[in-house]
Amino acid sequence: MTLVNQVKKTFALTTPLYYVNDVPHIGSAYTTIAADAVARFQKLLGREVLLITGTDEHGQKIQRSAESLGKAPQEFCDSVVPSFMSLWELLNIRYDRFSRTSAVRHHAIVNEFFARVWEGGDIYQGQQKGWYCVSCEEFKEERELLEGNRCPIHVNKEVEWRDEQNYFFRLSKYQTQLEEFYQSHPDFIQPESRRNEVLSFVSQGLQDFSISRVNLDWGFPIPTDPKHTIYVWFDALLGYVTALLDPQDEPTLENALAKWWPMNLHLIGKDILRFHAVYWPAMLLSAGLPLPDRVFGHGFLTKDGQKMGKSLGNTVDPVGLVQQYGSDAVRYYFLKEIEFGKDGDFNEVRFINVLNADLANDLGNLLNRTLNMVKKYCADYALSITNEDIPAENSLKTLGLNLGEKVKQAYEVLAFNQACELVLSLVQASNKFIDEQAPWTLYKQGRQQEVETVLYTVLESVRLAAYLLSPVIPNISSSIYQQLGFGIDFNAQTDIAPFEMHSQWGLLSHQQKLGQPQPIFKRIEATKKV
Ligand code: MSP
């Protein structure tokens, strides 16, 4: 299985469009970091990539948040959106589009899409009775509720009873078509556990869902009946489509879908799986549009083993975390320490230990001491040998030779932790190798060729590690590349380091002018709490 349609040279992916009822939390940061790593990896493969993120601004939840601050909803949204943009900048996220659902051009796309579904006869009026969770912006089944009519996701929030005239979308009509689609596209929902969850939900029988609200102003009116407002989820999912428009495009579906549709990947958290894996494909089928390639539902983050939440007062502030430790540190911890797809924990002691062990010691010290040895043992601070001089049975060369392909496969299935582990195994082997080979002794014995062989082998392994980790830790990777004499900055859009070339062991050459050794990651001393 590969992530991409091989004939397609483009790759479009999305994060969820985040609610702006509050500033971004660590959960939003988590998905966005993962999305950025995927985007960077796809760019290394030479694909043209479009990374879409943005904000979901309509609905009751946002309207109430605005009211509680005495602000108009638009003014309130405008005041929160910059906090997302600045966090993405802090985290070194290179998004291509920021889609805001309150944008005028989005309104045009929603109207056109609604008209298609309406004309297809999939919208009708009916009576909606049920329990509504404003925080989820979703009706809940009575059996899902916790004691005291509380939402199972927002456990401190009571659901609200609704009994109103709504417009409904004929989801039930798509039962068979969806089931057939899931069967013929086994990779559509990932990981496997989420796929099973969706299959089981759908097999219980799909019910039509309401796509309008009354007594709510903040949203787009139903074009055929403006007393009703379009349900926030119906509007928000289409934000992915609006994002595909080029800035100069007329906002039409035709323009939006011309280049990037169907999308390659929607990255989401497990709580919004149903919307993306059931409602969204059904809406698209109704509008006669092809479906995206893949929806990946990641797990939830906990803090010190406990569910994170404002009421528990144990949320992790992503801004504070990045300001204290830097973007590479945060990106590395979340991608390496948590299996993408499973729940994972944030624990500050573990955070510090992992970063010190992997980045400061294993990778950072290795580069630093090896460069210093080149300085000491080699004329003109340069290696005189090259890949051809390294025997095929050299243990690092053997490891390095097929590493690129393995890491590629891991990134393709979004197994970031595996990708990092694979690279780290080469780094650890390099540390062991240099200790065993003891170039300081070889030097004393006058065995210059062997000294240089060891140093080349280790530096080349560090280079390969830096390249393969660049989607995760682009700053550190750039610093390593520069110290090894490559004028490549992994953050620059114009610097191209093609995968076929740079993922191969043996690229380092004696022509390389090595840079001054600099620490790439400063050891963290355990002090302050975030
Ligand atoms: N607005 C909708 C998405 C619309 S997409 C067309 C929404 N927004 S959200 O801001 O509430 O959530 C955004 C994402 O954050 C979701 O993918 C959710 O799973 C994720 N997370 C929220 N809390 C989280 C954790 N504690 N851990 C990991 N991710 C979590 O839903």
Side-chain angles (χ1 to χ4, degrees):
M1 201 266 329
T2 54
L3 193 62
V4 121
N5 175 352
Q6 287 305 329
V7 285
K8 228 166 123 180
K9 280 281 179 211
T10 56
F11 192 94
L13 76 161
T14 64
T15 72
L17 304 182
Y18 301 109
Y19 284 130
V20 287
N21 59 308
D22 208 343
V23 293
H25 51 72
I26 198 75
S28 355
Y30 181 52
T31 326
T32 314
I33 290 170
D36 185 65
V38 174
R40 285 175 186 264
F41 165 70
Q42 290 294 333
K43 279 184 194 155
L44 292 182
L45 294 186
R47 301 212 165 95
E48 194 185 351
V49 175
L50 194 79
L51 170 54
I52 295 168
T53 188
T55 43
D56 182 357
E57 305 187 5
H58 288 141
Q60 196 140 37
K61 171 151 88 168
I62 311 293
Q63 181 165 303
R64 285 187 186 170
S65 302
E67 273 163 10
S68 71
L69 293 173
K71 288 190 180 180
Q74 187 67 64
E75 182 198 357
F76 170 71
C77 294
D78 291 349
S79 72
V80 181
V81 165
S83 61
F84 281 86
M85 291 178 163
S86 64
L87 176 60
W88 303 154
E89 198 171 323
L90 271 179
L91 278 168
N92 203 2
I93 307 292
R94 292 191 308 183
Y95 59 86
D96 300 287
R97 298 280 158 83
F98 193 100
S99 188
R100 293 187 58 180
T101 58
S102 65
V104 176
R105 50 213 265 115
H106 180 54
H107 195 173
I109 294 292
V110 172
N111 278 350
E112 194 184 337
F113 189 90
F114 184 92
R116 278 207 196 190
V117 176
W118 177 269
E119 280 152 23
D122 284 343
I123 295 174
Y124 65 93
Q125 219 177 23
Q127 192 70 18
Q128 170 76 59
K129 281 187 194 178
W131 295 106
Y132 194 70
C133 171
V134 175
S135 296
C136 291
E137 294 280 13
E138 185 182 21
F139 278 100
K140 300 279 166 186
E141 298 291 332
E142 185 132 12
R143 62 184 149 80
E144 291 178 84
L145 302 179
L146 306 179
E147 219 186 289
N149 285 344
R150 282 170 305 117
C151 165
I153 295 175
H154 301 93
V155 288
N156 55 345
K157 298 266 166 64
E158 268 185 44
V159 291
E160 299 172 16
W161 179 252
R162 298 284 156 84
D163 182 357
E164 57 188 43
Q165 275 267 305
N166 281 174
Y167 283 91
F168 283 75
F169 172 71
R170 248 181 249 288
L171 180 65
S172 55
K173 178 174 153 190
Y174 294 95
Q175 170 95 28
T176 315
Q177 243 173 301
L178 281 177
E179 282 176 333
E180 282 168 5
F181 179 76
Y182 301 142
Q183 287 313 320
S184 56
H185 296 79
D187 297 330
F188 176 62
I189 306 162
Q190 289 187 338
E192 193 67 23
S193 55
R194 307 264 181 265
R195 173 178 151 82
N196 293 337
E197 215 177 285
V198 170
L199 293 185
S200 138
F201 170 74
V202 174
S203 72
Q204 289 164 34
L206 290 175
Q207 314 229 326
D208 298 347
F209 68 96
S210 93
I211 55 160
S212 77
R213 298 287 179 267
V214 285
N215 308 319
L216 170 71
D217 305 326
W218 183 231
F220 298 133
I222 293 269
T224 48
D225 187 352
K227 290 188 302 302
H228 290 255
T229 298
I230 295 185
Y231 173 40
V232 59
W233 267 102
F234 192 88
D235 148 4
L237 288 160
L238 286 165
Y240 296 144
V241 173
T242 307
L244 299 176
L245 289 165
D246 278 332
Q248 73 283 358
D249 280 346
E250 275 286 302
T252 63
L253 277 177
E254 191 186 353
N255 285 339
L257 303 172
K259 177 166 178 185
W260 299 95
W261 195 265
M263 302 244 175
N264 301 81
L265 175 66
H266 290 304
L267 278 181
I268 54 163
K270 62 181 180 181
D271 54 329
I272 54 174
L273 184 64
R274 225 175 261 181
F275 292 103
H276 286 80
V278 183
Y279 294 12
W280 180 224
M283 285 164 59
L284 292 166
L285 287 172
S286 167
L289 298 176
L291 307 190
D293 290 348
R294 167 144 98 128
V295 174
F296 193 104
H298 66 67
F300 258 43
L301 301 177
T302 54
K303 168 104 189 286
D304 306 324
Q306 275 199 311
K307 192 173 173 354
M308 257 188 246
K310 289 220 173 104
S311 51
L312 288 168
N314 67 344
T315 53
V316 177
D317 167 26
V319 175
L321 203 59
V322 189
Q323 280 172 342
Q324 190 166 352
Y325 298 112
S327 59
D328 278 7
V330 176
R331 296 167 66 106
Y332 185 78
Y333 178 84
F334 284 115
L335 295 181
K336 184 215 166 209
E337 281 301 295
I338 298 167
E339 185 181 336
F340 203 59
K342 297 242 169 87
D343 289 353
D345 194 48
F346 178 82
N347 169 282
E348 201 169 353
V349 173
R350 188 153 133 247
F351 178 86
I352 294 174
N353 288 344
V354 166
L355 295 168
N356 281 344
D358 295 2
L359 301 184
N361 292 351
D362 285 352
L363 189 60
N365 283 352
L366 180 65
L367 173 70
N368 205 264
R369 69 183 178 133
T370 313
L371 281 179
N372 277 313
M373 283 187 235
V374 178
K375 231 177 195 176
K376 214 153 133 196
Y377 304 144
C378 307
D380 302 325
Y381 187 34
L383 294 164
S384 63
I385 57 161
T386 195
N387 181 30
E388 285 75 52
D389 304 315
I390 312 293
E393 63 278 7
N394 177 294
S395 62
L396 294 186
K397 187 170 183 171
T398 317
L399 256 182
L401 276 179
N402 55 18
L403 188 72
E405 197 45 43
K406 284 192 194 155
V407 171
K408 179 180 172 195
Q409 282 169 18
Y411 277 124
E412 279 186 330
V413 296
L414 310 188
F416 307 110
N417 64 330
Q418 246 180 52
C420 293
E421 292 287 0
L422 282 164
V423 176
L424 209 67
S425 61
L426 177 67
V427 173
Q428 284 160 350
S430 304
N431 274 299
K432 196 160 162 256
F433 183 80
I434 203 162
D435 289 344
E436 282 168 4
Q437 299 291 318
W440 44 92
T441 310
L442 297 171
Y443 180 72
K444 276 196 207 132
Q445 294 166 345
R447 293 151 75 180
Q448 187 63 20
Q449 174 82 8
E450 286 168 67
V451 170
E452 298 207 15
T453 300
V454 176
L455 298 182
Y456 176 94
T457 314
V458 172
L459 285 183
E460 172 55 12
S461 299
V462 173
R463 181 206 63 78
L464 182 61
Y467 181 75
L468 296 174
L469 286 179
S470 68
V472 180
I473 49 169
N475 294 340
I476 291 177
S477 295
S478 300
S479 165
I480 295 177
Y481 252 56
Q482 275 145 27
Q483 291 180 53
L484 292 177
F486 291 89
I488 286 178
D489 174 356
F490 289 101
N491 291 310
Q493 299 280 4
T494 46
D495 278 0
I496 300 184
F499 195 82
E500 320 78 75
M501 193 174 154
H502 286 253
S503 68
Q504 299 297 320
W505 200 91
L507 190 68
L508 201 65
S509 92
H510 55 282
Q511 280 141 8
Q512 224 77 20
K513 198 169 161 6
L514 300 176
Q516 283 314 305
Q518 311 265 349
I520 53 159
F521 187 83
K522 230 174 123 229
R523 227 190 123 70
I524 306 168
E525 302 305 333
T527 45
K528 258 192 9 220
K529 280 261 167 240
V530 184

